Protein backbone atom coordinates (compact mmCIF):
# COMPACT_ATOMS: atom_id res chain seq x y z
CA UNK A 1 0.00 0.00 0.00
CA UNK A 2 1.23 3.52 -0.83
CA UNK A 3 0.29 6.45 1.39
CA UNK A 4 -0.05 10.15 0.62
CA UNK A 5 -0.53 12.55 3.52
CA UNK A 6 -1.94 16.03 3.07
CA UNK A 7 -3.62 18.85 4.93
CA UNK A 8 -0.72 20.34 6.84
CA UNK A 9 -0.18 24.06 7.10
CA UNK A 10 0.20 27.05 9.38
CA UNK A 11 -2.40 27.58 12.09
CA UNK A 12 -2.63 29.74 15.18
CA UNK A 13 -2.60 28.24 18.64
CA UNK A 14 -6.07 27.14 19.61
CA UNK A 15 -7.03 26.47 16.02
CA UNK A 16 -7.91 23.29 14.20
CA UNK A 17 -6.63 21.37 11.24
CA UNK A 18 -7.55 18.09 9.56
CA UNK A 19 -4.95 15.85 8.03
CA UNK A 20 -5.79 13.24 5.42
CA UNK A 21 -3.89 10.18 4.31
CA UNK A 22 -4.98 8.58 1.06
CA UNK A 23 -3.96 4.99 0.40
CA UNK A 24 -3.61 3.25 -2.90
CA UNK A 25 -4.62 -0.32 -3.51
CA UNK A 26 -7.74 -2.34 -2.84
CA UNK A 27 -6.71 -3.80 0.51
CA UNK A 28 -6.85 -0.64 2.63
CA UNK A 29 -9.43 -2.17 4.94
CA UNK A 30 -6.98 -4.92 5.90
CA UNK A 31 -4.57 -2.41 7.42
CA UNK A 32 -4.47 -0.83 10.81
CA UNK A 33 -3.45 2.81 10.43
CA UNK A 34 -1.47 5.21 12.54
CA UNK A 35 -0.31 8.80 12.72
CA UNK A 36 3.12 9.73 14.01
CA UNK A 37 4.94 13.02 14.22
CA UNK A 38 8.47 14.29 14.42
CA UNK A 39 9.36 17.73 15.68
CA UNK A 40 12.65 19.40 14.70
CA UNK A 41 15.52 17.76 16.54
CA UNK A 42 13.25 15.23 18.21
CA UNK A 43 12.48 11.58 17.76
CA UNK A 44 9.35 10.18 16.21
CA UNK A 45 6.30 10.24 18.46
CA UNK A 46 3.18 8.12 18.30
CA UNK A 47 0.07 10.27 17.87
CA UNK A 48 -2.88 7.98 17.20
CA UNK A 49 -3.92 4.70 15.63
CA UNK A 50 -7.09 3.08 14.40
CA UNK A 51 -7.95 -0.53 13.73
CA UNK A 52 -8.81 -1.87 10.28
CA UNK A 53 -12.56 -1.56 10.98
CA UNK A 54 -12.37 1.73 12.81
CA UNK A 55 -13.70 0.06 15.92
CA UNK A 56 -10.65 0.69 18.06
CA UNK A 57 -8.64 3.86 18.46
CA UNK A 58 -5.62 4.77 20.56
CA UNK A 59 -3.99 8.09 21.32
CA UNK A 60 -0.73 9.38 22.66
CA UNK A 61 -1.04 11.10 26.02
CA UNK A 62 -0.07 14.48 24.61
CA UNK A 63 -3.01 14.58 22.18
CA UNK A 64 -5.78 12.80 24.08
CA UNK A 65 -8.95 14.83 24.11
CA UNK A 66 -7.73 17.14 21.35
CA UNK A 67 -7.12 14.89 18.35
CA UNK A 68 -9.46 12.40 16.72
CA UNK A 69 -8.47 9.69 14.27
CA UNK A 70 -11.01 8.24 11.87
CA UNK A 71 -11.11 6.37 8.60
CA UNK A 72 -13.33 5.88 5.60
CA UNK A 73 -12.65 2.51 4.01
CA UNK A 74 -14.83 3.39 1.02
CA UNK A 75 -12.45 6.25 0.25
CA UNK A 76 -9.23 4.50 1.30
CA UNK A 77 -8.50 7.42 3.60
CA UNK A 78 -7.60 7.95 7.22
CA UNK A 79 -8.02 11.32 8.91
CA UNK A 80 -6.58 13.13 11.88
CA UNK A 81 -8.76 15.93 13.20
CA UNK A 82 -6.63 18.20 15.36
CA UNK A 83 -8.20 20.76 17.66
CA UNK A 84 -6.97 23.10 20.38
CA UNK A 85 -3.61 23.07 18.71
CA UNK A 86 -0.55 24.13 20.67
CA UNK A 87 2.86 25.34 19.49
CA UNK A 88 4.31 22.06 20.75
CA UNK A 89 2.18 20.23 18.17
CA UNK A 90 4.44 21.68 15.49
CA UNK A 91 5.96 18.75 13.62
CA UNK A 92 5.99 16.76 10.43
CA UNK A 93 3.09 14.34 10.61
CA UNK A 94 3.33 10.93 9.00
CA UNK A 95 0.68 8.34 8.35
CA UNK A 96 1.61 4.69 8.46
CA UNK A 97 0.02 1.31 7.84
CA UNK A 98 0.50 -2.12 9.32
CA UNK A 99 -1.21 -5.30 8.26
CA UNK A 100 -4.02 -6.64 10.43
CA UNK A 101 -2.87 -10.15 11.39
CA UNK A 102 -3.36 -12.58 14.25
CA UNK A 103 0.23 -11.86 15.27
CA UNK A 104 1.88 -8.47 15.97
CA UNK A 105 2.93 -6.56 12.89
CA UNK A 106 5.02 -3.47 12.28
CA UNK A 107 4.28 -0.24 10.52
CA UNK A 108 5.98 -1.12 7.26
CA UNK A 109 4.33 1.45 5.03
CA UNK A 110 4.84 5.17 5.50
CA UNK A 111 3.63 8.31 3.80
CA UNK A 112 5.88 11.22 2.93
CA UNK A 113 4.81 13.48 5.80
CA UNK A 114 2.99 16.78 5.98
CA UNK A 115 4.20 19.77 7.99
CA UNK A 116 2.02 21.30 10.67
CA UNK A 117 3.16 24.60 12.17
CA UNK A 118 1.32 26.09 15.12
CA UNK A 119 2.11 29.71 15.88
CA UNK A 120 1.75 31.20 19.36
Amino acid sequence: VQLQASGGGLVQAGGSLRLSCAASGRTFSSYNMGWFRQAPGMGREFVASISWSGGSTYYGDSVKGRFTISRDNTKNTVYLQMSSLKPEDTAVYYCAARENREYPTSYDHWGQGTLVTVSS
Side-chain angles (χ1 to χ4, degrees), residues 4-69:
Q4 179 77 33
S6 62
L10 175 64
V11 62
Q12 287 189 331
S16 299
L17 208 57
R18 188 178 81 158
L19 305 183
S20 300
C21 176
S24 64
R26 294 176 292 177
T27 59
F28 176 69
S29 60
S30 65
Y31 287 89
N32 300 310
M33 301 297 296
W35 285 98
F36 295 79
R37 68 186 182 185
Q38 187 164 17
M42 303 292 286
R44 188 168 60 199
E45 177 187 13
F46 169 76
V47 175
S49 66
I50 188 167
S51 62
W52 65 274
S53 66
S56 296
T57 58
Y58 303 92
Y59 296 91
D61 288 341
S62 61
V63 306
K64 280 180 183 176
R66 300 188 299 121
F67 291 10
T68 302
I69 189 171

Side-chain angles (χ1 to χ4, degrees), residues 6-9 16-21 35 68 70 75 77-83 85 114 116:
S6 62
S16 299
L17 208 57
R18 188 178 81 158
L19 305 183
S20 300
C21 176
W35 285 98
T68 302
S70 62
K75 297 182 178 179
T77 302
V78 61
Y79 305 97
L80 184 69
Q81 178 67 47
M82 305 184 294
S83 302
L85 283 162
T114 185
V116 173

Side-chain angles (χ1 to χ4, degrees), residues 32-34 36 46 48-50 96-98 105-110:
N32 300 310
M33 301 297 296
F36 295 79
F46 169 76
S49 66
I50 188 167
R98 64 181 183 89
T105 55
S106 301
Y107 285 100
D108 291 330
H109 307 275
W110 293 82

